[in-house]
Amino acid sequence: MRVWAIANQKGGVGKTTSTIALARVLVARGLRVLLVDLDPHGSLTRAFGVPEEPAPRGVADLFATPPGTLGLLMRESAVAGLDFVCAQTSLATLERRSVTQPGLGLALSQALSRHEGHDYILLDCPPMLGLLVVNALAAADRLIIPTQCEPLSLHGLAGMKRTAAMIERSRRRPLPVAVLPTLFDRRTRAGRDTFALLQEKYREDVWEEPIPIDTLVSNAEVL
């Protein structure tokens, strides 16, 4: 079982869309995939048609005492081989709880270590550094950083790389990084220059083909 975290400390770079697209590619290859929505805003959860109210069972239950299990919390999607675990708005309270409840930083790793039945688990992370992102990076075998092809996104990428390096040192095992250029508009100089800079600065970490802006993707029913 492989665990990939899809994360960036900047919002609006295509994390959830990239997570769903990766999942569909893996499922098309005959692999079983579990998506875990770690973002309190629940964009991935909403993509599956799960309403915000009443609050579903999901990721927050992994941080309860005693913790829930992924096998009981996951739901089947309409796509064969693709399952998911919902986010809840209560995830936003975890930062406060971590002050008085030690061990929350490894809750996700512990839940994943007990799980079987999927070839890949993809973790859709919130757009800020905090307990949920730390959990994801501590558990991941690979970090994928979607990065919008515009100059300001480079700051978020640099911050995410620093965070990944810090977690890698702490957990004492490698955390390979892949930079995924997204929302690329080849008609603009800013888009072309940013993609070239990504290739120059991060070299082998950058995916060869950027993901272009496509209004059909934005308007599609992805699930």
Side-chain angles (χ1 to χ4, degrees), residues 36-40 45 55-70 73 85-94 97 101 104 107-108 111 131-132:
V36 181
D37 189 355
L38 296 174
D39 190 345
T45 301
R57 295 193 67 199
V59 172
D61 296 85
L62 300 176
F63 296 85
T65 305
T69 62
L70 287 171
L73 296 173
V85 181
C86 296
Q88 303 119 304
T89 55
S90 60
L91 288 172
T93 69
L94 286 179
R97 286 174 48 195
Q101 190 175 341
L104 290 185
L108 184 59
L131 182 67
L132 289 163

Side-chain angles (χ1 to χ4, degrees), residues 110-152:
Q110 292 165 356
L112 294 179
S113 70
R114 298 188 294 265
H115 183 71
E116 297 179 350
H118 290 88
D119 301 296
Y120 281 83
I121 296 180
L122 306 186
L123 310 174
D124 186 24
C125 297
M128 75 286 288
L129 177 59
L131 182 67
L132 289 163
V133 171
V134 169
N135 262 268
L137 299 188
D141 302 310
R142 177 174 292 275
L143 168 62
I144 298 173
I145 309 176
T147 303
Q148 185 176 358
C149 289
E150 58 96 11
L152 291 179

Side-chain angles (χ1 to χ4, degrees), residues 15-38:
K15 292 186 296 299
T16 298
T17 302
S18 299
T19 302
I20 293 170
L22 285 168
R24 293 299 295 264
V25 169
L26 293 169
V27 168
R29 296 179 179 180
L31 299 166
R32 289 189 57 82
V33 179
L34 177 64
L35 302 180
V36 181
D37 189 355
L38 296 174

